[in-house]
Amino acid sequence: MQILDGKKTAEEIKQEIAVEISNLKQKGKKIPHLAAVLVGSNGASLTYVNAKVKACEKVGMKSSLIRLNDTVSEEELLEKVEELNQDEQIDGFIVQLPLPKHIDDKKVTEAILPSKDVDGFHPWNIGKMLLNLPTFLPATPYGILQLIERYNIETTGKHCVVVGRSSIVGSPMANLMSRNTYPGNCTVTLTHSRTVNLAEITRTADILIVALGKPEFITADMVQEGVVIFDVGITRKPDKSKKSGYKLHGDVNYSDVAEKAAFITPVPGGVGPMTIVSLLKNTILAAKGKRKKF
Ligand code: GUN
């Protein structure tokens, strides 16, 4: 079994980005600037957004964190989005999800200028991704593709099973793994909460990507020997032995499954750090006025 070390790989990619930013600085070019909007004070969202902002600082990119009270109206949030759309200093921005119930997240996502939508969530960008046109790939799937590439994992002809059909991870991931390119050329099965006999399907996976938000859901009896596993789950559970007061749990029962796997991402330190560097890469592409074609 080999660990797919997302933390280490993300650090390597950050070094590469830092060199790129330093070159831009030397040439007197504009430094890419990412803005993140956080509504409310959900602990997990605050941690993720802070990690994104900190990563920008680390590589020498500019970042702005815009915090809004959770009582902000949908209209006020849409005004803020429009302000960021118009702000020439900002190359790309994200609105951290989930949003409070009184705000329609689809409306907010659609209000973001597609050329600044570094999350790759806007319908235009999703459409371009489906048509294999250059676009911003959603950060988590993009991070998984980069891990596959950096660890030279064979994908052609493999059976890739995706568990979870969310519009930000499962759905785009299934599409990307079926593309006629590398990483890709997989036969993909997209499974979800209504799938019958899930374990029978996951047992046939050569590559298993799990993003459903149910801690330790995948157990050893659900996988075959030699499987490659990407665990996207990050559920917080209270844990007094931890300084933070909580422990992160993946969707895969790691200690149970790891021995059977050829490659596996740990939680934390697997997919999470790769998601953040993917956002940085998308921001650089936004600053250059380009999009990613994988
Ligand atoms: N919430 C969970 N993941 C993400 C993400 O990648 N982007 C945004 N904007 N919100 C999220």
Side-chain angles (χ1 to χ4, degrees), residues 60-249:
M61 272 169 61
K62 287 194 178 150
S63 63
S64 301
L65 172 59
I66 297 141
R67 291 198 63 178
L68 302 171
N69 204 287
D70 58 6
T71 55
V72 71
S73 68
E74 185 178 278
E75 202 185 336
E76 284 167 322
L77 179 56
L78 290 170
E79 273 168 22
K80 178 50 80 181
V81 166
E82 192 45 34
E83 200 184 294
L84 292 166
N85 284 342
Q86 304 284 344
D87 188 338
E88 285 181 6
Q89 290 306 310
I90 304 292
D91 296 295
F93 66 98
I94 64 160
V95 177
Q96 187 67 21
L97 303 175
L99 289 168
K101 286 205 170 63
H102 66 276
I103 298 175
D104 180 350
D105 56 8
K106 288 196 174 65
K107 224 172 173 176
V108 174
T109 300
E110 285 187 42
I112 298 172
L113 202 61
S115 59
K116 291 192 176 188
D117 166 42
V118 285
D119 257 332
F121 293 170
H122 191 285
W124 282 27
N125 288 326
I126 301 273
K128 283 186 173 178
M129 181 197 71
L130 293 175
L131 293 169
N132 207 0
L133 295 168
T135 188
F136 301 117
L137 298 181
T140 301
Y142 184 14
I144 292 173
L145 294 183
Q146 289 180 85
L147 262 185
I148 291 174
E149 269 202 314
R150 299 230 170 195
Y151 278 86
N152 286 315
I153 291 168
E154 184 56 68
T155 59
T156 301
K158 303 291 181 193
H159 183 207
C160 174
V161 176
V162 180
V163 185
R165 58 181 156 185
S166 74
S167 52
I168 66 178
V169 185
S171 264
M173 196 74 241
N175 169 258
L176 291 164
M177 293 304 281
S178 70
R179 283 177 167 194
N180 183 7
T181 185
Y182 177 80
N185 279 317
C186 286
T187 303
V188 177
T189 305
L190 178 57
T191 67
H192 46 76
S193 54
R194 303 295 175 97
T195 296
V196 178
N197 293 335
L198 177 68
E200 257 174 45
I201 299 168
T202 56
R203 271 197 291 273
T204 66
D206 302 307
I207 300 171
L208 182 63
I209 302 173
V210 197
L212 79 164
K214 285 193 180 163
E216 279 94 37
F217 181 82
I218 300 288
T219 46
D221 59 310
M222 296 172 80
V223 302
Q224 66 174 336
E225 219 38 76
V227 63
V228 179
I229 302 181
F230 295 90
D231 185 352
V232 182
I234 25 168
T235 304
R236 286 177 169 208
K237 280 193 187 172
D239 186 330
K240 290 204 181 94
S241 71
K242 298 274 169 193
K243 210 169 81 186
S244 60
Y246 62 83
K247 187 171 185 274
L248 294 177
H249 294 256

